[in-house]
Amino acid sequence: MAAKKIDIMDVRQLIQLKIKGESNRSCSSSLAIHRNTVNYYVRQLKA
């Protein structure tokens, strides 16, 4: 199943959290999105 699309503001917050060193699991709870969605966007941003 494809990852849910998230708002650009959530993507920006995700980037900021990852820069701070937060885990994908803590990012998902902070942004109230599924952990797999965070994993998807992190992989996309690293590519």
Side-chain angles (χ1 to χ4, degrees), residues 21-39:
E22 295 290 327
S23 68
N24 289 0
R25 191 175 296 247
S26 67
C27 289
S28 69
S29 65
S30 296
L31 298 174
I33 55 178
H34 197 273
R35 183 171 37 106
N36 290 342
T37 304
V38 172
N39 292 339

Side-chain angles (χ1 to χ4, degrees), residues 1-7 10-19 21-47:
M1 185 154 135
K4 175 185 152 197
K5 301 290 184 192
I6 60 175
D7 188 42
D10 287 336
V11 174
R12 287 179 179 218
Q13 288 178 338
L14 175 60
I15 293 168
Q16 290 175 351
L17 290 170
K18 291 303 290 180
I19 288 172
E22 295 290 327
S23 68
N24 289 0
R25 191 175 296 247
S26 67
C27 289
S28 69
S29 65
S30 296
L31 298 174
I33 55 178
H34 197 273
R35 183 171 37 106
N36 290 342
T37 304
V38 172
N39 292 339
Y40 170 79
Y41 278 96
V42 168
R43 281 194 307 269
Q44 293 298 315
L45 292 168
K46 285 184 178 181

